[in-house]
Amino acid sequence: MGKPGTVKTMLKTTFIISKMDCPSEEQMIRAKLEGMAGIQNLKFDIPGRRLEIYHTDSHENFLGALKSLHLDTKLISSEAAGAMNAEEDQHRQSRLLWQVLAINFFFFALEIISGFVASSMGLVADSLDMLADSIIYGLSLFAVGGTAARKKHVAGIAGYFQAVLALSGFVEVIRRFSGHGDTPDFYMMIFISILALAGNASCLYLLQKSKSRDAHMQASMIFTSTDVVVNLGVIAAGIFVYLTGSKIPDLIVGTVVFILVGRGAYRIMQLSK
C-alpha cells in the first residue's frame, strides 16, 4: 500500500456485464475479485453494464472469475491507463456512502416505528426497503480493509435476516386481508412518506452532485430512484385509504413492496456464496 496521495500508473481492462443491473450484482463481483493479484481499483457503470478494472498485473484471470458468476461477461479491451489517485478516490466514495447510509437507516427506523403506530403495512414494507439499501451500503463500507470471507459471512446473515422480516410481513398482510387489524392512519402514512421522499431526494442530490461514474454512486442512484417510486406509492395508498375508508389500498402497496424486499434479500444472500 502506498501513502495517501500516492499517484499510481495502471492498466485498465474493460468488461461488459449484461446482467449487472443493481448493487447486489456489484457486490457479488467485488466479493469475487477481492484479493486477486494486482487489482488497485474497480469502477462500475451499472446503467451501462460496464466494469473497468485498474490493475498492475496480468488481466487474464479476471475474465474467468467474472464468467463464473454467470452474468454474461465479455472482455472489451485492456490498455494502459492514465495516472489516478486510487486512495483519494476510495476516500471520497466512502464518505458519500456513509452519508447515504445514515439517511437510509434513519428513515428505516422512522418508518418501521411509524408503520406499527399507524397500523400501516405500506410504511412497514417501505422501511424494510430502506433497510435493504442500508445493508448494501453497509456491506460496502464494512468490507473495506476486510477479507472476502468476512464480507460473505456478513452478507449471509443480513440476507437471511431480511428474508425473515419480509416473510413475517407477508404473513401479517394475509392476516389483515382476512379481516384482522385496524384501518391505518392515513394522515401518518402520508406525512411520514413525504418525509421519506424528502430523504431519498436528498440522497439523489448528493449522488448527482458527486458527478461520479463509480459503482456506489451509480448503483445508489438506481436504488434511490426506486425508493422514490415506493414513497409515492405509499402516499397514493394513504390518499385512497382516506377516500375509501378501507385498509385494502395499504395492504396492496405493502404486498408489492414486500415482494421487492424479498427479492432484495435473495440477492443479498447470493453475496454469501
Side-chain angles (χ1 to χ4, degrees), residues 96-108:
L96 181 55
L97 275 174
W98 273 117
Q99 292 173 325
V100 177
L101 170 61
I103 292 171
N104 273 271
F105 194 78
F106 171 78
F107 281 104
F108 153 68

Side-chain angles (χ1 to χ4, degrees), residues 193-238:
S193 292
I194 289 174
L195 292 180
L197 182 62
N200 282 318
S202 67
C203 287
L204 280 176
Y205 170 76
L206 289 171
L207 295 165
Q208 292 172 351
K209 184 180 177 182
S210 73
K211 297 180 181 179
S212 174
R213 303 285 301 172
D214 285 349
H216 306 304
M217 281 63 89
Q218 292 293 315
S220 297
M221 279 191 275
I222 293 172
F223 256 31
T224 305
S225 297
T226 301
D227 290 342
V228 168
V229 175
V230 171
N231 295 149
L232 293 173
V234 178
I235 291 171

